Amino acid sequence: ETGVTQTPRHLVMGMTNKKSLKCEQHLGHNAMYWYKQSAKKPLELMFVYNFKEQTENNSVPSRFSPECPNSSHLFLHLHTLQPEDSALYLCASSSTSGGATDTQYFGPGTRLTVL
Amino acid sequence: GDSVTQMEGPVTLSEEAFLTINCTYTATGYPSLFWYVQYPGEGLQLLLKATKADDKGSNKGFEATYRKETTSFHLEKGSVQVSDSAVYFCAQNSGGYQKVTFGIGTKLQVIP
């Protein structure tokens, strides 16, 4: 596989469930990102990892818990979510060597619905 | 703080029409500017970028010029096709991998 892959593509869960989203990149990048995409809103950056170390947490509620075991894999663990958390969750990766010029490469996203 | 403003849309055009999607930004320093495109059911992918003032990014018939004096990076295409129907995101990076800011996205629908 090439590029950035995400599983599952669709997820429906109840508010009391626990689930995880998985992201894998095959591009040799060292930075990985989680974004939330909701209708009528700009993309919201949630978490950033660089060489497995979390470098950004944009005031995300603790019901979202990221994990980055290595530079190629990123997880988002979900528990006791709210209906307003329903959205498309996008994973991305990039190199960090180019500074402001680096391009981010996105996966296809996981469409999450919280009932 | 840093921000990107773009028209929300939707923008509906007939095939072969001229396209302009406006994008303006506010930033500290001199950001790199990007246009990403999201086709239905897919993630975002880079369409074009410009890294300094007066640079022109181009790809697949789309163009955008980095205008520092008007803090703008408008996307243009001379003749759109049905296959260009997608959501277009303007973005800026003001200085590092953590500092990318996206606009709200503009949905483009091209009808035959």
Side-chain angles (χ1 to χ4, degrees):
Chain A
E1 287 220 59
T2 58
V4 181
T5 57
Q6 290 186 243
T7 55
R9 293 294 306 273
H10 300 272
L11 178 63
V12 179
M13 59 187 289
M15 288 192 285
T16 58
N17 291 159
K18 289 186 181 181
K19 296 287 184 184
S20 296
L21 310 185
K22 179 182 175 182
C23 175
E24 185 172 358
Q25 60 100 358
H26 308 268
L27 300 168
H29 291 155
N30 49 278
M32 296 189 76
Y33 312 75
W34 279 117
Y35 286 91
K36 177 182 179 182
Q37 185 178 19
S38 305
K40 311 283 187 188
K41 290 185 176 181
L43 243 58
E44 298 174 50
L45 179 64
M46 301 174 72
F47 302 103
V48 182
Y49 279 81
N50 185 18
F51 286 111
K52 304 187 300 177
E53 299 298 319
Q54 187 179 127
T55 58
E56 193 83 9
N57 175 342
N58 280 342
S59 304
V60 180
S62 59
R63 57 186 183 270
F64 295 91
S65 174
E67 178 190 359
C68 188
N70 55 61
S71 292
S72 298
H73 293 86
L74 184 64
F75 295 89
L76 188 63
H77 304 299
L78 315 172
H79 65 98
T80 59
L81 295 191
Q82 305 298 311
E84 60 264 27
D85 297 322
S86 299
L88 182 68
Y89 288 85
L90 293 166
C91 174
S93 71
S94 76
S95 104
T96 56
S97 57
T101 66
D102 284 315
T103 298
Q104 294 195 1
Y105 293 80
F106 286 80
T110 294
R111 174 66 64 184
L112 173 66
T113 303
V114 181
L115 301 176
Chain B
D2 296 346
S3 67
V4 173
T5 301
Q6 62 179 110
M7 56 205 301
E8 186 173 332
V11 174
T12 302
L13 295 174
S14 298
E15 206 165 19
E16 299 184 2
F18 184 87
L19 168 72
T20 299
I21 300 178
N22 290 340
C23 171
T24 57
Y25 67 90
T26 58
T28 50
Y30 302 102
S32 294
L33 301 174
F34 305 80
W35 278 101
Y36 285 83
V37 59
Q38 185 178 31
Y39 297 104
E42 299 183 13
L44 281 69
Q45 56 185 273
L46 180 70
L47 180 60
L48 53 84
K49 70 179 181 182
T51 59
K52 62 182 187 296
D54 301 323
D55 267 3
K56 177 186 284 188
S58 60
N59 185 24
K60 300 182 181 180
F62 291 89
E63 292 183 339
T65 301
Y66 189 141
R67 302 284 188 202
K68 191 175 110 178
E69 62 276 12
T70 55
T71 62
S72 64
F73 192 55
H74 304 323
L75 182 69
E76 295 182 337
K77 186 175 185 182
S79 176
V80 293
Q81 306 300 312
V82 172
S83 57
D84 294 326
S85 298
V87 181
Y88 292 82
F89 293 87
C90 186
Q92 63 155 313
N93 185 329
S94 60
Y97 66 97
Q98 301 178 102
K99 299 193 181 297
V100 181
T101 305
F102 287 85
I104 198 168
T106 300
K107 183 173 183 179
L108 170 66
Q109 183 177 10
V110 181
I111 53 178

